[in-house]
Amino acid sequence: MTLAVGGFGLSGIPADLIDAVRDSGVKDLTLVSNNMGVDGKGLGVLIEAGQVRKVIASYVGENKLFAEQYIAGKLEVEFTPQGTLAERLGAGGAGIPAFYTKTGVGTLVAEGKPHEVFDGETYVQERAIRADVALVHAHTADTDGNLIYRYTARNFNPVVATAGAVTIAEAEVIVEPGTLDPNHIVTPGVYVQGLVQASGRVKDIEQRTVRPRTSEPIPA
């Protein structure tokens, strides 16, 4: 099964739904996400449980166990530039089977893929991603499945939500239909087949970097 998961690192991820996947014991997953969390958190819990066969991601540098399994040949990995990954998911949601991009031309990313020349520039073909199940985290939802995201959760969750044959969302706040301003809805409920209440757990941060406060202006 191919599982697409929204969020960015540990920010804006559907942590409760990821835990539910872990608890289900499902195996041989293909995971599609920007990155794989960290050891023991986020998507790292699925790697730790040995439930992942293949990963499609743009960055995996925060997860040591992932690196160990990749080097040992236990994980198949398809690296995809970040913007291309977002576009592949968006294309999957829009019913577009493939598109051409300049990103990756002349690198390992483009090896074995069709190339075309447009207006004198070489482009590489990228295939859309369509997931069996998509998991997303929203801040606010109504019971019809309309979703509103906040802050970093706007990264990848909207495109992931459209790319799943079945999309399940967890939301921090769930309200009755007709409550949300239609102008604020990012993902229409037509894309969402399941909705659960988020647990309100503490949100993890991968790396916390601070600097001394100062009243002096920061040099340009």
Side-chain angles (χ1 to χ4, degrees), residues 107-171:
T107 73
L108 292 174
V109 168
E111 286 190 359
K113 298 176 182 177
H115 288 64
E116 288 288 347
V117 176
F118 298 95
D119 300 323
E121 298 284 349
T122 301
Y123 292 75
V124 59
Q125 185 190 94
E126 294 284 356
R127 296 294 302 271
I129 294 174
R130 185 72 176 160
D132 298 298
V133 177
L135 305 179
V136 298
H137 177 94
H139 180 264
T140 306
D142 65 20
T143 52
D144 284 340
N146 296 301
L147 307 179
I148 296 174
Y149 308 100
R150 190 173 67 167
Y151 304 134
T152 309
R154 287 292 291 267
N155 289 315
F156 282 98
N157 276 300
V159 288
V160 166
T162 67
V166 173
T167 295
I168 304 171
E170 64 176 54

Side-chain angles (χ1 to χ4, degrees), residues 5 7 31-36 55-59 78-92 99 101 103 126-129 156 159-160 163:
V5 183
L31 286 185
V32 182
S33 192
N34 179 63
N35 59 341
M36 292 296 113
V55 166
I56 302 174
S58 68
Y59 175 70
E78 180 181 335
F79 287 112
T80 303
Q82 194 169 80
T84 301
L85 180 61
E87 199 67 25
R88 290 179 69 189
L89 289 161
F99 59 92
T101 176
T103 304
E126 294 284 356
R127 296 294 302 271
I129 294 174
F156 282 98
V159 288
V160 166

Side-chain angles (χ1 to χ4, degrees), residues 165-219:
V166 173
T167 295
I168 304 171
E170 64 176 54
E172 298 175 40
V173 178
I174 299 177
V175 298
E176 292 301 312
T179 306
L180 302 181
D181 183 340
N183 293 301
H184 295 163
I185 292 170
V186 180
T187 297
V190 68
Y191 288 106
V192 179
Q193 285 71 49
L195 177 67
V196 300
Q197 177 71 55
S199 64
R201 66 171 71 195
V202 175
K203 297 175 182 178
D204 293 305
I205 297 175
E206 288 169 88
Q207 296 185 21
R208 188 183 298 273
T209 303
V210 298
R211 59 175 171 77
R213 293 186 179 274
T214 175
S215 58
E216 297 297 322
I218 299 174

